[in-house]
Amino acid sequence: MSPAVPGVPIEVHDLTVAYHHRPVLWDIDLQFPEGKLIAVVGPNGAGKSTLIKAIMGLVPLASGHVKIYGKPAEEGRASVAYVPQRGSVDWDFPTNALDVVLMGRYGHLPLFGRPRRRDKEIARQSLEKVGMLEFANRQISQLSGGQQQRVFLARALTQQARVYLMDEPFAGVDASTERAIVTLLHDLREQGGTLVVVHHDLQTVPQYFDHVLLLNLRTVAFGPVAEVFTAQNLQKTYGGQLGVLTEVGERLRNTDWSRRRG
Amino acid sequence: MNGWAQRFDEVSFAPGTDGFWIVLVGALVAAACSFVGCFLVLRRMSMLGDAISHAVLPGIVLAFLFSGSREILPMILGAGALGLLTAFTTDLLTRHGKLPNDASIGVTFTFLFAIGVILVSRFTGQVDLDLDCVLYGEILYAPFDTLKLNGADLGPRSAWVMGTVALANLAFLLLGWSRLKVCAFDSALAAALGVNVVLWHYLLMAFVSMTTVAAFESVGVILVVGMLIVPANTAYLLTDRLWLMHALAVLAGVLSALGGYLLATALNGSIAGAMATVSGLLYLLAAVFGPRHGVLSKQIHQRRLRTAPAADSVSG
């Protein structure tokens, strides 16, 4: 992972996405800054996953475009690793953890190629980084939810990307996996990586992330957590669902912002 | 005792005998079908295989009418076109017609098959093809339709056709292994990695269509559907490894061909029907006695959990 040319990892311009004529994302304009850990938060159906999928070219865009390091998205996607939601695949598929991780290398394979020894080495190293090497030969159906999530992260690591897009990596994982993921995210950021993470737990946003995107169909606010993660913006994003918010508001007031890096 | 002994005298698998050729054709059909059937099953598209095997009928009849012969190449092209049309229409109805996937498959293939039935009955004088043959196949006659080259008898034509198709499917499977696997397991990741997911989907559908049309002539629609799906599902119950699933599916298919021939001779009934029946029985055996997914092993496992709840219920 070489930071090489600094630039704008992901630029989203005028983006609108609609399912069956109903817009799920409306006129999104964003520039994700390099080397930051960025949370995407918003209520259910706010378009968080859709935004990630739109950047990856997995849903048709009604309008707008995406640029990756200044290039059209189709050309730039090789430098982006995508971690889909864990529930998006069939974990009864007959394969083992190492094999799933190896799939991250398929973008590097020639048309009819098979993974080489080097690809397998990279896959093993990635499994080690998420503390899953001892489970390399375990059938994926026999892994716990947290372990499955770690396998997905290891798979993204094998892509040796500069940008990571993760859809709810913390959903339904145990506490030790959550700590392991946070450590991994911070390591990747230290190495110059840019990480965009769909996140559902508002309380941990100030603790884990540098920037936050508050999303509900449109961009409600985007910027450093210290500036935009305010009770007022949360109120705008989540509307009437106040119950969730009071506790977060309480925490925000008690957070010592000076300790955090920008 | 005597009756059985007599029957086994009649049933011979020595090379060159009718029994040998019939079982060989059945086994080749099984292999060809398993090579594409496993990924159909894993992608939860079992019914699409069923649909394609029926929907190719109008394609076959039209190919007959245009080429005026039973040559395999025009038939494969006609069936291939209809097979892809089925996959495409199903996709279209699901995406834009707001139909659930199973409903759009049902609508598509019954419609196309019905057109095929009309075509067969209308042009039955012009084409050497009847509905019974399409539905049930004539594997019994396979040994009599032989391929001759410079006067030398090379054995049944259907053995050569199915052998070629099985090899083509195996080559497709081996060359496309990585791509097929990632498309089946996680198509979103595959697309994100730059794999042409749509292309691989239709490639698989094209090979399924080709296999179906090559096999239907000898074994009929019913056995093609059975061989595409049933051995693959049997293998799915028996292993958690992808390559082993393919190998076991071929094995289950070959055993079905062999057992089906024996059963048919014993009962003096339809060979294709008996082969499909045996493959169903093998599935039943796997479902009951399978090592991990079988009904019995699950029962035993649950009983163990009940007696020692603390030890097993903690997961990593």
Side-chain angles (χ1 to χ4, degrees):
Chain A
M1 192 180 328
S2 55
V5 233
V8 182
I10 293 176
E11 186 189 330
V12 174
H13 186 63
D14 259 350
L15 180 81
T16 295
V17 178
Y19 289 138
H20 297 295
H21 308 295
R22 191 177 59 85
V24 281
L25 282 176
W26 187 262
D27 205 13
I28 307 282
D29 267 294
L30 287 169
Q31 288 197 346
F32 288 125
E34 188 165 38
K36 300 289 184 212
L37 187 40
I38 303 156
V40 179
V41 300
N44 287 336
K48 306 185 292 286
S49 293
T50 306
L51 176 63
I52 302 279
K53 284 181 185 155
I55 294 170
M56 290 313 295
L58 299 175
V59 291
L61 312 184
S63 76
H65 64 254
V66 174
K67 283 192 170 174
I68 296 169
Y69 281 108
K71 284 188 232 160
E74 300 77 47
E75 294 169 36
R77 252 170 229 136
S79 50
V80 183
Y82 169 53
V83 182
Q85 283 186 17
R86 183 162 50 88
S88 66
V89 304
D90 170 19
W91 290 94
D92 282 329
F93 196 88
T95 190
N96 62 29
L98 183 65
D99 219 31
V100 171
V101 176
L102 259 178
M103 287 181 193
R105 299 296 301 167
Y106 286 9
H108 299 257
L109 296 181
L111 183 56
F112 296 121
R114 299 279 190 95
R116 306 276 174 115
R117 184 185 296 175
R118 201 180 106 74
D119 297 311
K120 286 182 183 161
E121 246 167 56
I122 292 170
R124 291 191 156 271
Q125 286 164 6
S126 304
L127 271 174
E128 195 166 17
K129 279 184 199 154
V130 298
M132 286 287 293
L133 191 54
E134 56 179 312
F135 297 100
N137 295 317
R138 183 72 67 92
Q139 295 307 316
I140 55 172
S141 58
Q142 288 168 281
L143 299 172
S144 72
Q147 290 170 332
Q148 290 174 347
Q149 190 63 58
R150 291 189 202 203
V151 167
F152 257 25
L153 286 171
R155 186 176 70 178
L157 291 180
T158 64
Q159 291 178 243
Q160 302 179 320
R162 298 164 70 188
V163 183
Y164 292 82
L165 302 180
M166 305 184 178
D167 203 344
E168 301 254 16
F170 294 106
V173 303
D174 51 293
S176 76
T177 298
E178 176 147 350
R179 278 195 301 277
I181 296 176
V182 170
T183 310
L184 183 73
L185 295 183
H186 287 182
D187 285 351
L188 288 170
R189 181 186 60 190
E190 300 318 315
Q191 294 161 39
T194 306
L195 302 105
V196 179
V197 180
V198 175
H199 195 54
H200 64 284
D201 181 13
L202 292 176
Q203 307 202 13
T204 50
V205 168
Q207 196 187 335
Y208 295 166
F209 295 94
D210 307 319
H211 278 50
V212 63
L213 166 64
L214 293 154
L215 189 71
N216 192 354
L217 189 67
R218 304 155 189 263
T219 308
V220 176
F222 177 57
V225 174
E227 291 170 24
V228 302
F229 198 62
T230 61
Q232 199 191 358
N233 279 337
L234 284 169
Q235 175 76 42
K236 269 199 247 169
T237 314
Y238 286 84
Q241 303 165 22
L242 269 169
V244 198
L245 301 176
T246 27
E247 202 182 343
V248 182
E250 197 61 36
R251 281 199 170 213
L252 283 175
R253 269 191 289 282
N254 300 331
T255 309
D256 175 12
W257 296 107
S258 60
R259 279 209 332 262
R260 299 198 40 78
R261 39 174 285 162
Chain B
M1 277 304 269
N2 266 342
W4 271 106
Q6 231 171 353
R7 286 228 168 85
F8 271 101
D9 278 344
E10 295 163 19
V11 181
S12 168
F13 301 120
T17 60
D18 289 354
F20 169 81
W21 288 120
I22 289 173
V23 172
L24 182 70
V25 169
L28 287 170
V29 170
C33 286
S34 293
F35 291 144
V36 289
C38 285
F39 274 112
L40 275 184
V41 167
L42 288 172
R43 299 183 59 171
R44 320 237 151 175
M45 290 178 173
S46 298
M47 290 314 289
L48 197 53
D50 192 345
I52 285 179
S53 60
H54 284 75
V56 294
L57 184 60
I60 291 166
V61 181
L62 289 175
F64 265 34
L65 286 175
F66 281 113
S67 73
S69 73
R70 289 178 66 130
E71 287 301 312
I72 191 76
L73 204 63
M75 288 198 348
I76 282 184
L77 290 178
L82 262 292
L84 292 180
L85 181 69
T86 310
F88 180 73
T89 315
T90 306
D91 207 37
L92 201 72
L93 287 176
T94 307
R95 244 186 250 187
H96 301 289
K98 292 197 172 176
L99 275 185
N101 190 252
D102 57 342
S104 50
I105 288 176
V107 168
T108 309
F109 92 83
T110 44
F111 178 68
L112 290 173
F113 186 66
I115 291 178
V117 169
I118 293 180
L119 287 175
V120 171
S121 56
R122 170 67 183 79
F123 296 107
T124 196
Q126 276 119 298
V127 294
D128 176 22
L129 184 80
D130 67 274
L131 211 50
D132 279 359
C133 166
V134 172
L135 286 176
Y136 309 120
E138 295 295 357
I139 199 169
L140 190 61
Y141 302 142
F144 306 119
D145 182 9
T146 56
L147 197 68
K148 292 193 175 63
L149 193 71
N150 298 332
D153 191 342
L154 296 176
R157 200 171 67 105
S158 51
W160 285 96
V161 170
M162 284 324 298
T164 311
V165 171
L167 277 179
N169 287 1
L170 182 63
F172 171 64
L173 187 69
L174 291 176
L175 287 173
W177 184 258
S178 299
R179 297 294 199 278
L180 286 167
K181 187 163 67 175
V182 71
C183 289
F185 176 65
D186 192 345
S187 61
L189 175 89
L193 288 173
V195 174
N196 193 333
V197 178
V198 177
L199 173 75
W200 284 96
H201 172 69
Y202 284 107
L203 270 178
L204 181 63
M205 292 308 128
F207 274 87
V208 170
S209 310
M210 178 184 78
T211 309
T212 307
V213 67
F216 101 100
E217 202 187 9
S218 47
V219 298
V221 166
I222 293 174
L223 187 54
V224 178
V225 177
M227 286 294 194
L228 268 177
I229 301 308
V230 183
N233 271 307
T234 309
Y236 179 75
L237 292 175
L238 294 177
T239 180
D240 286 325
R241 287 170 202 219
L242 193 55
W243 70 266
L244 194 57
M245 178 180 167
H246 283 82
L248 287 174
V250 173
L251 183 69
V254 170
L255 285 178
S256 310
L258 194 63
Y261 181 65
L262 289 174
L263 181 68
T265 339
L267 298 174
N268 197 19
S270 154
I271 298 173
M275 286 179 175
T277 305
V278 172
S279 77
L281 289 174
L282 287 177
Y283 175 82
L284 202 63
L285 282 178
V288 176
F289 298 107
R292 260 179 27 78
H293 305 287
V295 177
L296 268 187
S297 79
K298 271 186 188 155
Q299 290 272 337
I300 293 168
H301 188 68
Q302 273 174 0
R303 189 157 301 168
R304 250 188 239 147
L305 277 181
R306 233 173 283 144
T307 47
D312 277 32
S313 60
V314 182
S315 67

